[in-house]
Coordinates of all heavy atoms in Angstrom, one line a residue:
H40 N -2.0 -22.9 -14.0 CA -2.0 -21.5 -14.0 C -3.2 -20.9 -14.8 O -3.1 -19.8 -15.3 CB -0.7 -21.0 -14.7 CG 0.5 -21.4 -13.9 ND1 0.8 -20.9 -12.6 CD2 1.5 -22.3 -14.1 CE1 1.9 -21.5 -12.1 NE2 2.3 -22.3 -13.0
S41 N -4.3 -21.7 -14.8 CA -5.5 -21.2 -15.5 C -6.1 -20.0 -14.8 O -6.0 -19.9 -13.6 CB -6.5 -22.4 -15.5 OG -7.7 -21.9 -15.9
S42 N -6.7 -19.1 -15.6 CA -7.2 -17.9 -15.0 C -8.5 -18.2 -14.2 O -9.0 -17.3 -13.6 CB -7.5 -16.9 -16.2 OG -8.5 -17.5 -17.0
V43 N -9.0 -19.4 -14.3 CA -10.2 -19.7 -13.5 C -10.0 -19.5 -12.0 O -10.9 -19.2 -11.3 CB -10.6 -21.2 -13.8 CG1 -11.7 -21.6 -12.9 CG2 -11.0 -21.4 -15.2
Y44 N -8.8 -19.6 -11.5 CA -8.5 -19.6 -10.1 C -8.2 -18.2 -9.6 O -7.8 -18.0 -8.5 CB -7.3 -20.5 -9.8 CG -7.6 -21.9 -10.1 CD1 -7.0 -22.6 -11.2 CD2 -8.4 -22.7 -9.3 CE1 -7.3 -23.9 -11.5 CE2 -8.7 -24.0 -9.5 CZ -8.1 -24.6 -10.7 OH -8.4 -25.9 -10.9
Y45 N -8.3 -17.2 -10.5 CA -8.0 -15.8 -10.1 C -9.2 -14.9 -10.1 O -10.1 -15.0 -10.9 CB -7.0 -15.2 -11.1 CG -5.6 -15.9 -11.0 CD1 -5.3 -16.9 -11.9 CD2 -4.7 -15.5 -10.1 CE1 -4.1 -17.5 -11.9 CE2 -3.4 -16.1 -10.1 CZ -3.2 -17.1 -11.0 OH -1.9 -17.8 -11.0
Q46 N -9.3 -14.1 -9.1 CA -10.4 -13.1 -9.0 C -9.7 -11.7 -9.2 O -8.8 -11.4 -8.4 CB -11.1 -13.1 -7.7 CG -12.2 -12.1 -7.5 CD -13.4 -12.3 -8.5 OE1 -13.8 -13.4 -8.8 NE2 -13.8 -11.2 -9.1
R47 N -10.1 -11.0 -10.2 CA -9.4 -9.7 -10.5 C -10.3 -8.5 -10.2 O -11.5 -8.6 -10.6 CB -9.0 -9.7 -12.0 CG -7.9 -10.7 -12.3 CD -7.6 -10.7 -13.8 NE -6.5 -11.6 -14.0 CZ -6.6 -12.9 -14.3 NH1 -7.8 -13.4 -14.2 NH2 -5.6 -13.6 -14.5
F48 N -9.8 -7.5 -9.6 CA -10.5 -6.3 -9.4 C -9.6 -5.2 -10.0 O -8.4 -5.1 -9.8 CB -10.7 -6.0 -7.9 CG -11.6 -7.0 -7.3 CD1 -11.1 -8.0 -6.6 CD2 -13.0 -6.8 -7.4 CE1 -12.0 -9.0 -6.0 CE2 -13.9 -7.7 -6.8 CZ -13.4 -8.8 -6.1
Y49 N -10.2 -4.3 -10.8 CA -9.5 -3.2 -11.4 C -9.8 -1.9 -10.6 O -10.9 -1.6 -10.4 CB -9.9 -3.0 -12.9 CG -9.6 -4.3 -13.7 CD1 -10.5 -5.3 -13.8 CD2 -8.3 -4.4 -14.3 CE1 -10.2 -6.5 -14.5 CE2 -8.0 -5.5 -15.0 CZ -8.9 -6.6 -15.1 OH -8.6 -7.7 -15.9
I50 N -8.7 -1.3 -10.1 CA -8.8 -0.1 -9.3 C -8.3 1.1 -10.1 O -7.2 1.1 -10.6 CB -8.1 -0.3 -8.0 CG1 -8.6 -1.5 -7.2 CG2 -8.2 1.0 -7.1 CD1 -7.7 -1.9 -6.1
S51 N -9.1 2.1 -10.3 CA -8.7 3.3 -10.9 C -8.8 4.4 -9.9 O -9.8 4.7 -9.3 CB -9.7 3.7 -12.1 OG -9.6 2.7 -13.1
K52 N -7.7 5.1 -9.7 CA -7.6 6.2 -8.8 C -7.2 7.5 -9.6 O -6.3 7.4 -10.5 CB -6.5 6.0 -7.7 CG -6.8 4.9 -6.8 CD -5.7 4.7 -5.8 CE -5.9 3.4 -5.0 NZ -4.9 3.2 -4.0
F53 N -8.0 8.5 -9.4 CA -7.8 9.8 -10.2 C -8.4 10.9 -9.5 O -9.0 10.8 -8.4 CB -8.4 9.6 -11.6 CG -9.8 9.3 -11.6 CD1 -10.8 10.3 -11.7 CD2 -10.2 8.0 -11.6 CE1 -12.1 10.0 -11.8 CE2 -11.6 7.6 -11.7 CZ -12.5 8.6 -11.8
N54 N -8.1 12.1 -10.0 CA -8.7 13.3 -9.4 C -9.8 13.8 -10.4 O -9.6 13.7 -11.6 CB -7.6 14.4 -9.3 CG -6.7 14.1 -8.1 OD1 -7.0 13.4 -7.2 ND2 -5.5 14.6 -8.2
L55 N -10.8 14.3 -9.9 CA -11.9 14.9 -10.6 C -12.2 16.2 -10.0 O -12.7 16.3 -8.9 CB -13.1 14.0 -10.6 CG -14.2 14.1 -11.6 CD1 -13.7 13.8 -13.0 CD2 -15.4 13.2 -11.3
N56 N -11.7 17.3 -10.7 CA -11.9 18.6 -10.2 C -11.2 18.7 -8.8 O -11.9 19.2 -7.8 CB -13.3 19.1 -10.1 CG -13.9 19.2 -11.5 OD1 -13.2 19.3 -12.5 ND2 -15.2 19.1 -11.6
N57 N -10.0 18.2 -8.6 CA -9.3 18.3 -7.4 C -9.9 17.5 -6.2 O -9.5 17.7 -5.1 CB -9.0 19.7 -6.9 CG -8.2 20.5 -8.0 OD1 -7.3 20.0 -8.6 ND2 -8.6 21.8 -8.2
Q58 N -10.7 16.5 -6.5 CA -11.2 15.6 -5.5 C -10.7 14.2 -5.8 O -10.8 13.8 -7.0 CB -12.8 15.6 -5.5 CG -13.3 14.7 -4.4 CD -14.8 14.9 -4.2 OE1 -15.5 15.7 -4.9 NE2 -15.3 14.2 -3.2
A59 N -10.2 13.5 -4.8 CA -9.7 12.2 -5.0 C -10.8 11.2 -5.2 O -11.8 11.2 -4.5 CB -8.9 11.7 -3.7
I60 N -10.7 10.4 -6.3 CA -11.8 9.4 -6.7 C -11.1 8.1 -6.7 O -10.0 7.9 -7.2 CB -12.3 9.8 -8.1 CG1 -12.8 11.3 -8.1 CG2 -13.4 8.8 -8.5 CD1 -14.0 11.6 -7.3
E61 N -11.9 7.0 -6.3 CA -11.4 5.6 -6.4 C -12.6 4.8 -7.0 O -13.7 4.8 -6.4 CB -11.0 5.1 -5.1 CG -10.4 3.7 -5.1 CD -9.8 3.2 -3.8 OE1 -8.7 3.7 -3.5 OE2 -10.5 2.4 -3.2
A62 N -12.3 4.1 -8.0 CA -13.3 3.2 -8.6 C -12.8 1.8 -8.7 O -11.7 1.5 -9.2 CB -13.6 3.7 -10.1
K63 N -13.6 0.8 -8.1 CA -13.2 -0.6 -8.1 C -14.3 -1.3 -8.9 O -15.4 -1.3 -8.5 CB -13.1 -1.2 -6.7 CG -12.0 -0.6 -5.8 CD -12.1 -1.2 -4.4 CE -11.1 -0.5 -3.5 NZ -11.1 -1.0 -2.2
F64 N -13.9 -1.9 -10.0 CA -14.8 -2.7 -10.8 C -14.2 -4.0 -11.2 O -13.0 -4.2 -11.1 CB -15.2 -1.9 -12.1 CG -16.0 -0.7 -11.8 CD1 -15.4 0.6 -11.9 CD2 -17.3 -0.8 -11.5 CE1 -16.2 1.7 -11.7 CE2 -18.1 0.3 -11.2 CZ -17.5 1.6 -11.3
S65 N -15.0 -4.9 -11.7 CA -14.5 -6.2 -12.1 C -14.0 -6.2 -13.5 O -13.4 -7.1 -14.0 CB -15.6 -7.3 -12.0 OG -16.8 -6.9 -12.8
T66 N -14.2 -5.1 -14.2 CA -13.6 -4.8 -15.5 C -12.9 -3.5 -15.5 O -13.3 -2.6 -14.7 CB -14.7 -4.8 -16.7 OG1 -15.6 -3.8 -16.4 CG2 -15.3 -6.2 -16.8
P67 N -11.9 -3.2 -16.3 CA -11.2 -2.0 -16.3 C -12.1 -0.8 -16.6 O -13.0 -0.8 -17.4 CB -10.1 -2.1 -17.3 CG -10.0 -3.5 -17.7 CD -11.3 -4.1 -17.3
M68 N -11.8 0.3 -15.9 CA -12.6 1.6 -16.1 C -12.1 2.2 -17.5 O -10.9 2.2 -17.7 CB -12.4 2.5 -15.0 CG -13.1 3.8 -15.1 SD -12.9 4.8 -13.6 CE -13.9 6.2 -14.1
V69 N -13.0 2.6 -18.3 CA -12.7 3.2 -19.6 C -12.6 4.7 -19.4 O -13.6 5.4 -19.4 CB -13.8 2.8 -20.6 CG1 -13.4 3.4 -22.0 CG2 -13.9 1.3 -20.8

Side-chain angles (χ1 to χ4, degrees):
H40 298 292
S41 170
S42 64
V43 172
Y44 298 104
Y45 296 94
Q46 178 65 43
R47 291 176 179 86
F48 294 98
Y49 298 90
I50 303 169
S51 297
K52 296 178 183 178
F53 56 95
N54 291 333
L55 199 60
N56 297 338
N57 297 323
Q58 183 170 1
I60 308 289
E61 182 174 287
K63 294 179 186 175
F64 291 106
S65 56
T66 59
M68 183 174 177
V69 179

